[in-house]
Amino acid sequence: MTAFSIGALLYEGKAKRVYATQDPDLVAVEYKDDATAFNALKKAQLQGKGALNCRISALLFEALEAAGVPTHYLGVEGSCWMLVRPVAVIPLEVVIRNRAAGSLCREMPIAPGTALEPPLLDLYYKDDAYGDPFLSEARLARLALVTAQQRADLEALAHRVNGVLRPLFAAVGLELVDFKLELGFTADQQLVVADEISPDTCRLWDRATEDASDRILDKDRFRQDLGGVVEAYGEVLKRVQGVCPSPRVYG
Ligand code: TMP
Ligand code: ASP
């Protein structure tokens, strides 16, 4: 039985819709099958992607919560719905890179695959109208989106997430190359992990596969036209469900 009723559409992003519910302390997130890349220049409908990302995100949020990392997650309902706490999301994309890939290699002389120890943390300003630009220290200070303490807290939280997820994925033969987080504040001012954590927002390489394309099990398959996107996400789900608590059903 559904324990919530859908209210007003609060926000529609490229991969999700966020709705109010009858309960002001509960927000419902619908995971869509839409795939986009390069700030939506490239678009497709990938049947089953929404359900896979909803499930994978739920499993990873369960694992984070079990490890004491606060998130917005409250549970799932059906195949594409996640129930979360309302959060004021900070308009920053917090990217942690364990290995060089993607924009880092396009923008600087760092060879793809270079191990980054300690992991690199990059902040981007989350606004599609500006193409989510990289933030220099000076620009971050100028925007004044967070205080110095909040900035330290959000970086520490992102590193804690890496500290939980990296070994979790390693245990199932996946390398967490890099990932993007969105963080925000709950009504009681707790800093929590929000949004989603899925192959749309992580780079995941199959550790048992040598080939640089074949090993990709994330959205780079879509970005690079490699095919097998939904199959790759399915493989990620199959593996992580072996090492995460089962997603709780809301209500
Ligand atoms: P990047 O190499 O393009 O900077 O991406 C770093 C990580 O962030 C990668 O795991 C993909 C993820 N990401 C998003 O989740 N959303 C985005 O809009 C972008 C550009 C990257
Ligand atoms: N999420 C971004 C977009 O749609 C970029 C990406 O993931 O490559 O366009």
Side-chain angles (χ1 to χ4, degrees):
M1 197 188 84
T2 305
F4 62 95
S5 58
I6 299 298
L9 177 67
L10 300 175
Y11 169 82
E12 178 155 10
K14 293 191 285 280
K16 296 184 294 297
R17 290 187 196 93
V18 179
Y19 293 89
T21 69
Q22 80 287 358
D23 178 349
D25 296 326
L26 188 68
V27 168
V29 180
E30 183 188 16
Y31 282 69
K32 303 193 285 184
D33 283 342
D34 301 63
T36 68
F38 315 117
N39 205 9
L41 281 176
K42 184 179 165 102
K43 290 187 203 170
Q45 278 274 316
L46 298 176
Q47 215 192 340
K49 182 181 83 87
L52 285 163
N53 277 353
C54 184
R55 197 77 187 170
I56 294 166
S57 278
L59 287 159
L60 297 175
F61 282 133
E62 289 283 355
L64 288 172
E65 290 280 340
V69 176
T71 78
H72 67 160
Y73 171 81
L74 294 172
V76 290
E77 167 74 35
S79 59
C80 295
W81 290 93
M82 183 178 284
L83 288 311
V84 303
R85 292 191 276 168
V87 166
V89 176
I90 305 163
L92 289 174
E93 298 203 335
V94 184
V95 172
I96 295 230
R97 303 176 189 275
N98 295 310
R99 217 174 255 287
S103 67
L104 183 68
C105 303
R106 281 199 307 278
E107 293 166 2
M108 27 214 70
I110 301 179
T114 303
L116 304 167
E117 204 48 62
L120 200 64
L121 186 149
D122 286 332
L123 296 177
Y124 298 81
Y125 178 50
K126 182 179 163 56
D127 190 329
D128 285 343
Y130 295 97
D132 300 341
F134 179 79
L135 284 170
S136 65
E137 285 298 324
R139 289 182 188 197
L140 181 62
R142 182 68 184 80
L143 284 176
L145 299 170
V146 286
T147 64
Q149 184 61 54
Q150 288 170 338
R151 196 264 179 94
D153 291 348
L154 75 85
E155 293 204 356
L157 187 56
H159 284 296
R160 276 178 74 196
V161 171
N162 194 37
V164 175
L165 295 189
R166 212 178 165 185
L168 182 152
F169 283 120
V172 292
L174 295 173
E175 174 148 20
L176 180 59
V177 174
D178 60 25
F179 61 98
K180 181 266 298 184
L181 294 178
E182 293 177 27
L183 307 177
F185 294 101
T186 58
D188 55 357
Q189 293 307 304
Q190 188 188 17
L191 182 67
V192 300
V193 181
D195 193 50
E196 69 178 283
I197 308 176
S198 74
D200 269 10
T201 63
C202 300
R203 284 196 172 90
L204 295 164
W205 292 351
D206 182 5
R207 287 152 70 103
T209 306
E210 285 281 312
D211 184 85
S213 297
D214 292 349
R215 69 184 174 190
I216 295 171
L217 294 177
D218 57 67
K219 195 163 128 183
D220 272 349
R221 299 205 69 83
F222 175 68
R223 296 189 188 96
Q224 299 174 26
D225 288 320
L226 297 173
V229 181
V230 170
E231 292 77 5
Y233 286 32
E235 179 62 26
V236 171
L237 173 59
K238 199 171 88 187
R239 294 196 199 187
V240 296
Q241 62 195 2
V243 287
C244 295
S246 289
R248 63 198 90 160
V249 175
Y250 187 82

